Amino acid sequence: MKSVLITSNAYYPNIGGIENSLRYLAKAYVELGYQVNVVVSDLNAIDEQQLAASESFEGVNIFRYSSYSDISKWLKPLRGFFASCAMFRLMRKVNREFAPEFTLSRFHSTTVMAKIAGLKNVAYLMPGVVRNQNQSANLVLVKGAAKVKQRLQLLVHDFIQQISFRVADQLFVFSDNMKQQVNACFKSPPKLNIVKPGVDTDRFAPKNEQARILQCQTLGLPVDKRILLIVGRFVRAKGISYALEAMISLTDCHLVIVGGGEEEELYHHYVQKFGLEERVTFAGIIQDPVPYYEVANLFLMTSTYEPLGQTILESLASGVPVVAFKSQAQVVTATSELLAVDEAVFVESVSSKCLTQAINEVNADKQRYNALSDVSRKIALSRFSWRALASAISKVKS
């Protein structure tokens, strides 16, 4: 049987754009007849339960190396080194036992380690460009020693990613936007392959109005308000503060935010400051966001930096129109690549005022809204497939 190794820093039950993409890719390779092995760390961002060192899930063999998260504080500076050694040993073991035909990596350090461990045909499917994605303007605002630490982490991860660009046998990106970011890192850019991501159009699907109302009641959300949805990590790059400020004027809407992260306390402060307790719901970090897509009327992509945005595809499949800031100097996203001007609601300027205006306009135009909802589902069905992506990457050659 053909064998593939998939590796990154985290996998299910962890959730997120990268983790979810790997899960769907793994399932796609199983359907294509591959024996699928996954090598990841034992980090568990969902709860404090210890993840098994190895297990089989959805026909996939999952092997986890220690992240040394419980290491003594005196040895904390060496945590990365210990984890890297554990990763190396596990990759070597999987290589000996299963001899994968190719390796798919979605993290820069696992890409480099896969080459060091002797794995062949290593494909790096980039989630983003570190020097852009991890710059301070996109992360939580910190000062003093924390800022120095943040800067050092950026330099280290950027250095490792630069190596991964050179050692990977093939490089894949999801957008021309990301390709340009990678090219900007080099005088002689490496060869890049642009591929399309996938989305599960069976899992993410529209609901009729009656079912939507019942789901609203189940989730404790108002049935007489337009539901606005945001799904993502709580960092400045996601632009969630713009949506919270917009809610001051959007009295006929209710905002649902699914996710968590460093800026959560700040967002709760905004809600209290603006008196929005009755019009904003924090759903938290959840394993299954499907019920929230099912009740949403509009999906807000308020990010100012986003290499792709898997949540956009999930909203499209659910028949939920996307509202996003238009690409410009301060907005580095791939939304305009994914959707034409008549396939989403593009906000001209990055401000809560313009966001409010755009939302009000589409809510007031029922014909336009219905057209956007219909085309969203059609786009998901016709343009994005996990199986097609898996097949494209499987053609990687040294």
Side-chain angles (χ1 to χ4, degrees), residues 183-196:
N183 288 344
C185 298
F186 297 95
K187 291 182 179 179
S188 300
K191 181 181 178 182
L192 295 169
N193 304 285
I194 299 179
V195 290
K196 291 183 178 179

PDB file of all heavy atoms in Angstrom, residues 183-196:
ATOM      1  N   ASN A 183       8.315  35.460  -2.418  1.00  0.00           N
ATOM      2  CA  ASN A 183       9.276  35.992  -3.383  1.00  0.00           C
ATOM      3  C   ASN A 183      10.012  37.208  -2.843  1.00  0.00           C
ATOM      4  O   ASN A 183      11.188  37.437  -3.165  1.00  0.00           O
ATOM      5  CB  ASN A 183       8.568  36.351  -4.686  1.00  0.00           C
ATOM      6  CG  ASN A 183       8.127  35.132  -5.477  1.00  0.00           C
ATOM      7  OD1 ASN A 183       8.595  34.027  -5.209  1.00  0.00           O
ATOM      8  ND2 ASN A 183       7.230  35.328  -6.421  1.00  0.00           N
ATOM      9  N   ALA A 184       9.320  37.982  -2.002  1.00  0.00           N
ATOM     10  CA  ALA A 184       9.934  39.186  -1.428  1.00  0.00           C
ATOM     11  C   ALA A 184      11.063  38.857  -0.461  1.00  0.00           C
ATOM     12  O   ALA A 184      11.876  39.726  -0.119  1.00  0.00           O
ATOM     13  CB  ALA A 184       8.871  40.024  -0.720  1.00  0.00           C
ATOM     14  N   CYS A 185      11.138  37.597  -0.043  1.00  0.00           N
ATOM     15  CA  CYS A 185      12.182  37.178   0.906  1.00  0.00           C
ATOM     16  C   CYS A 185      13.495  36.834   0.211  1.00  0.00           C
ATOM     17  O   CYS A 185      14.509  36.619   0.878  1.00  0.00           O
ATOM     18  CB  CYS A 185      11.708  35.951   1.698  1.00  0.00           C
ATOM     19  SG  CYS A 185      10.233  36.220   2.709  1.00  0.00           S
ATOM     20  N   PHE A 186      13.497  36.769  -1.132  1.00  0.00           N
ATOM     21  CA  PHE A 186      14.672  36.280  -1.839  1.00  0.00           C
ATOM     22  C   PHE A 186      15.017  37.141  -3.047  1.00  0.00           C
ATOM     23  O   PHE A 186      14.128  37.713  -3.685  1.00  0.00           O
ATOM     24  CB  PHE A 186      14.432  34.850  -2.338  1.00  0.00           C
ATOM     25  CG  PHE A 186      14.200  33.847  -1.250  1.00  0.00           C
ATOM     26  CD1 PHE A 186      12.905  33.518  -0.874  1.00  0.00           C
ATOM     27  CD2 PHE A 186      15.259  33.232  -0.604  1.00  0.00           C
ATOM     28  CE1 PHE A 186      12.677  32.593   0.127  1.00  0.00           C
ATOM     29  CE2 PHE A 186      15.036  32.311   0.390  1.00  0.00           C
ATOM     30  CZ  PHE A 186      13.751  31.986   0.763  1.00  0.00           C
ATOM     31  N   LYS A 187      16.302  37.207  -3.366  1.00  0.00           N
ATOM     32  CA  LYS A 187      16.730  37.802  -4.625  1.00  0.00           C
ATOM     33  C   LYS A 187      16.437  36.837  -5.768  1.00  0.00           C
ATOM     34  O   LYS A 187      16.090  37.251  -6.873  1.00  0.00           O
ATOM     35  CB  LYS A 187      18.222  38.125  -4.574  1.00  0.00           C
ATOM     36  CG  LYS A 187      18.589  39.258  -3.618  1.00  0.00           C
ATOM     37  CD  LYS A 187      20.077  39.550  -3.657  1.00  0.00           C
ATOM     38  CE  LYS A 187      20.431  40.716  -2.717  1.00  0.00           C
ATOM     39  NZ  LYS A 187      21.890  40.995  -2.723  1.00  0.00           N
ATOM     40  N   SER A 188      16.625  35.537  -5.480  1.00  0.00           N
ATOM     41  CA  SER A 188      16.296  34.488  -6.461  1.00  0.00           C
ATOM     42  C   SER A 188      15.244  33.577  -5.823  1.00  0.00           C
ATOM     43  O   SER A 188      15.583  32.602  -5.138  1.00  0.00           O
ATOM     44  CB  SER A 188      17.541  33.673  -6.829  1.00  0.00           C
ATOM     45  OG  SER A 188      18.529  34.509  -7.399  1.00  0.00           O
ATOM     46  N   PRO A 189      13.967  33.888  -5.996  1.00  0.00           N
ATOM     47  CA  PRO A 189      12.892  33.151  -5.325  1.00  0.00           C
ATOM     48  C   PRO A 189      12.852  31.682  -5.725  1.00  0.00           C
ATOM     49  O   PRO A 189      13.180  31.326  -6.864  1.00  0.00           O
ATOM     50  CB  PRO A 189      11.623  33.877  -5.802  1.00  0.00           C
ATOM     51  CG  PRO A 189      12.094  35.212  -6.264  1.00  0.00           C
ATOM     52  CD  PRO A 189      13.456  34.979  -6.825  1.00  0.00           C
ATOM     53  N   PRO A 190      12.466  30.812  -4.797  1.00  0.00           N
ATOM     54  CA  PRO A 190      12.307  29.396  -5.121  1.00  0.00           C
ATOM     55  C   PRO A 190      11.058  29.179  -5.963  1.00  0.00           C
ATOM     56  O   PRO A 190      10.191  30.054  -6.048  1.00  0.00           O
ATOM     57  CB  PRO A 190      12.152  28.747  -3.739  1.00  0.00           C
ATOM     58  CG  PRO A 190      11.542  29.832  -2.896  1.00  0.00           C
ATOM     59  CD  PRO A 190      12.154  31.107  -3.389  1.00  0.00           C
ATOM     60  N   LYS A 191      10.971  28.035  -6.600  1.00  0.00           N
ATOM     61  CA  LYS A 191       9.790  27.714  -7.404  1.00  0.00           C
ATOM     62  C   LYS A 191       8.615  27.435  -6.474  1.00  0.00           C
ATOM     63  O   LYS A 191       8.729  26.665  -5.529  1.00  0.00           O
ATOM     64  CB  LYS A 191      10.057  26.493  -8.284  1.00  0.00           C
ATOM     65  CG  LYS A 191       8.863  26.115  -9.158  1.00  0.00           C
ATOM     66  CD  LYS A 191       9.142  24.882  -9.994  1.00  0.00           C
ATOM     67  CE  LYS A 191       7.911  24.499 -10.811  1.00  0.00           C
ATOM     68  NZ  LYS A 191       8.139  23.255 -11.599  1.00  0.00           N
ATOM     69  N   LEU A 192       7.491  28.050  -6.769  1.00  0.00           N
ATOM     70  CA  LEU A 192       6.296  27.892  -5.940  1.00  0.00           C
ATOM     71  C   LEU A 192       5.138  27.375  -6.783  1.00  0.00           C
ATOM     72  O   LEU A 192       4.957  27.793  -7.931  1.00  0.00           O
ATOM     73  CB  LEU A 192       5.900  29.226  -5.309  1.00  0.00           C
ATOM     74  CG  LEU A 192       6.886  29.827  -4.310  1.00  0.00           C
ATOM     75  CD1 LEU A 192       6.491  31.263  -3.983  1.00  0.00           C
ATOM     76  CD2 LEU A 192       6.912  29.003  -3.039  1.00  0.00           C
ATOM     77  N   ASN A 193       4.360  26.480  -6.193  1.00  0.00           N
ATOM     78  CA  ASN A 193       3.178  25.943  -6.849  1.00  0.00           C
ATOM     79  C   ASN A 193       1.939  26.476  -6.136  1.00  0.00           C
ATOM     80  O   ASN A 193       1.806  26.312  -4.926  1.00  0.00           O
ATOM     81  CB  ASN A 193       3.175  24.414  -6.784  1.00  0.00           C
ATOM     82  CG  ASN A 193       4.424  23.802  -7.381  1.00  0.00           C
ATOM     83  OD1 ASN A 193       4.584  23.750  -8.588  1.00  0.00           O
ATOM     84  ND2 ASN A 193       5.332  23.357  -6.512  1.00  0.00           N
ATOM     85  N   ILE A 194       1.039  27.119  -6.884  1.00  0.00           N
ATOM     86  CA  ILE A 194      -0.205  27.605  -6.295  1.00  0.00           C
ATOM     87  C   ILE A 194      -1.273  26.533  -6.444  1.00  0.00           C
ATOM     88  O   ILE A 194      -1.531  26.037  -7.545  1.00  0.00           O
ATOM     89  CB  ILE A 194      -0.675  28.906  -6.980  1.00  0.00           C
ATOM     90  CG1 ILE A 194       0.370  30.011  -6.798  1.00  0.00           C
ATOM     91  CG2 ILE A 194      -2.010  29.355  -6.407  1.00  0.00           C
ATOM     92  CD1 ILE A 194      -0.007  31.330  -7.456  1.00  0.00           C
ATOM     93  N   VAL A 195      -1.856  26.150  -5.318  1.00  0.00           N
ATOM     94  CA  VAL A 195      -2.909  25.135  -5.307  1.00  0.00           C
ATOM     95  C   VAL A 195      -4.134  25.690  -4.580  1.00  0.00           C
ATOM     96  O   VAL A 195      -4.031  26.648  -3.813  1.00  0.00           O
ATOM     97  CB  VAL A 195      -2.436  23.839  -4.614  1.00  0.00           C
ATOM     98  CG1 VAL A 195      -1.406  23.122  -5.462  1.00  0.00           C
ATOM     99  CG2 VAL A 195      -1.865  24.137  -3.223  1.00  0.00           C
ATOM    100  N   LYS A 196      -5.268  25.079  -4.820  1.00  0.00           N
ATOM    101  CA  LYS A 196      -6.501  25.514  -4.173  1.00  0.00           C
ATOM    102  C   LYS A 196      -6.793  24.636  -2.965  1.00  0.00           C
ATOM    103  O   LYS A 196      -6.655  23.415  -3.040  1.00  0.00           O
ATOM    104  CB  LYS A 196      -7.671  25.445  -5.153  1.00  0.00           C
ATOM    105  CG  LYS A 196      -7.604  26.463  -6.276  1.00  0.00           C
ATOM    106  CD  LYS A 196      -8.836  26.374  -7.162  1.00  0.00           C
ATOM    107  CE  LYS A 196      -8.809  27.425  -8.260  1.00  0.00           C
ATOM    108  NZ  LYS A 196     -10.002  27.340  -9.141  1.00  0.00           N
TER     109      LYS A 196
END
